[in-house]
Amino acid sequence: MFELLTDPNAWLSFATLTVLEIVLGIDNIIFIAIVTGRLPENRQGPARRFGLSIAVFLRIAMLLSIVWIISLTRPFITLFGIGFSWRDLVLGAGGLFLLAKGTSEIHAEVEGAHEERSSAAAGFGAVIVQIAVLDLVFSIDSVITAVGVAERVEVMIAAVVVAILIMMAASGPVAKFINANPTVKMLGLSFLLLIGTALVADALHFHIPRNYLYFAIAFSGAVEALNRIAARRRARRRQGT
């Protein structure tokens, strides 16, 4: 363990993997922010923290079962000339779930048809189940990325834990901003549809580079930021007249 603390390659792997885990976790934060937005305000924070805690547990458990994780990428069935692995099935199911969830949330936002919860506890449980399902999907890609970047499992676990702690700290402000701005929330939901499409494509062995997706959402976010700046300036001009 001491040799890891003095090994510059280990520190480089740790820093690189931490950044990658945060980038891969952006879509996770957006999803958690959106689904917890349906809860009462006093339950949103605990739901976000609990959801990200599940993500930590799943990632560490998978890293400690690294041989099994690697075997998930090996095809176990062939259909139409394409070999499918358990990873493909999980990513495909997660992608379909994201597409269905994103579409239903967009419909609810446009139509104003928000679901009524019979109780706060039932709503909390439903949200946690949804977060856990997506945590499982995102954890598989996260762990496979970790295996490809770092060689020591101690470095992988440290990077994953630090990345999740940073995501926990950022989840509150991100959720508050998204839920307070309907247009930003719509962008977030559109981003979920993009990620869902990419996951389904990955499951079918049609890889869509994530850089394209992140560029698309960053460009849309920049346009939205310019629109908000222009709207504030128009409001100031009206107040000045």
Side-chain angles (χ1 to χ4, degrees):
M1 178 62 71
F2 179 75
E3 65 181 15
L4 283 178
L5 297 177
T6 58
D7 184 359
N9 291 326
W11 282 102
L12 180 60
S13 297
F14 169 78
T16 303
L17 185 54
T18 300
V19 172
L20 285 174
E21 291 292 330
I22 293 172
V23 172
L24 289 172
I26 290 174
D27 40 16
N28 208 352
I29 290 179
I30 292 174
F31 178 82
I32 290 175
I34 290 172
V35 296
T36 56
R38 299 291 189 199
L39 292 173
E41 190 171 350
N42 64 329
R43 306 298 299 276
Q44 293 178 15
R48 288 193 298 269
R49 289 189 291 272
F50 190 69
L52 288 170
S53 298
I54 294 174
V56 172
F57 173 78
L58 286 173
R59 283 163 168 77
I60 292 178
M62 288 182 175
L63 283 170
L64 294 176
S65 306
I66 209 163
V67 174
W68 176 70
I69 289 298
I70 293 174
S71 71
L72 287 177
T73 62
R74 295 172 184 164
F76 74 95
I77 189 173
T78 301
L79 295 174
F80 307 108
I82 301 176
F84 291 97
S85 64
W86 286 109
R87 172 181 178 272
D88 295 331
L89 294 184
V90 172
L91 291 182
L96 292 174
F97 176 77
L98 271 183
L99 289 173
K101 182 64 179 176
T103 301
S104 65
E105 289 288 334
I106 288 175
H107 181 269
E109 288 296 315
V110 173
E111 299 294 332
H114 301 295
E115 293 183 26
E116 295 293 333
R117 307 293 188 191
S118 57
S119 68
F124 187 88
V127 165
I128 293 301
V129 169
Q130 292 179 61
I131 292 173
V133 170
L134 262 296
D135 277 342
L136 174 62
V137 175
F138 292 132
S139 293
I140 289 179
D141 253 3
S142 171
V143 170
I144 290 173
T145 299
V147 172
V149 172
E151 296 180 355
R152 298 289 295 268
V153 69
E154 299 96 328
V155 175
M156 299 178 201
I157 292 176
V160 165
V161 170
V162 169
I164 294 292
L165 289 176
I166 293 173
M167 289 162 60
M168 280 185 178
S171 65
V174 169
K176 185 177 180 180
F177 180 74
I178 288 176
N179 290 316
N181 297 276
T183 53
V184 175
K185 186 174 183 179
M186 195 62 71
L187 282 178
L189 290 169
S190 301
F191 184 46
L192 291 184
L193 294 180
L194 284 176
I195 294 297
T197 302
L199 290 177
V200 173
D202 279 346
L204 297 174
H205 296 192
F206 295 102
H207 180 64
I208 301 175
R210 292 295 189 272
N211 290 341
Y212 295 165
L213 304 183
Y214 293 133
F215 174 80
I217 197 64
F219 180 79
S220 300
V223 172
E224 174 63 19
L226 292 175
N227 285 334
R228 296 178 67 83
I229 292 172
R232 283 198 296 268
R233 288 181 177 177
R234 287 194 297 270
R236 283 198 298 265
R237 283 199 296 269
R238 283 196 297 268
Q239 292 172 357
T241 55

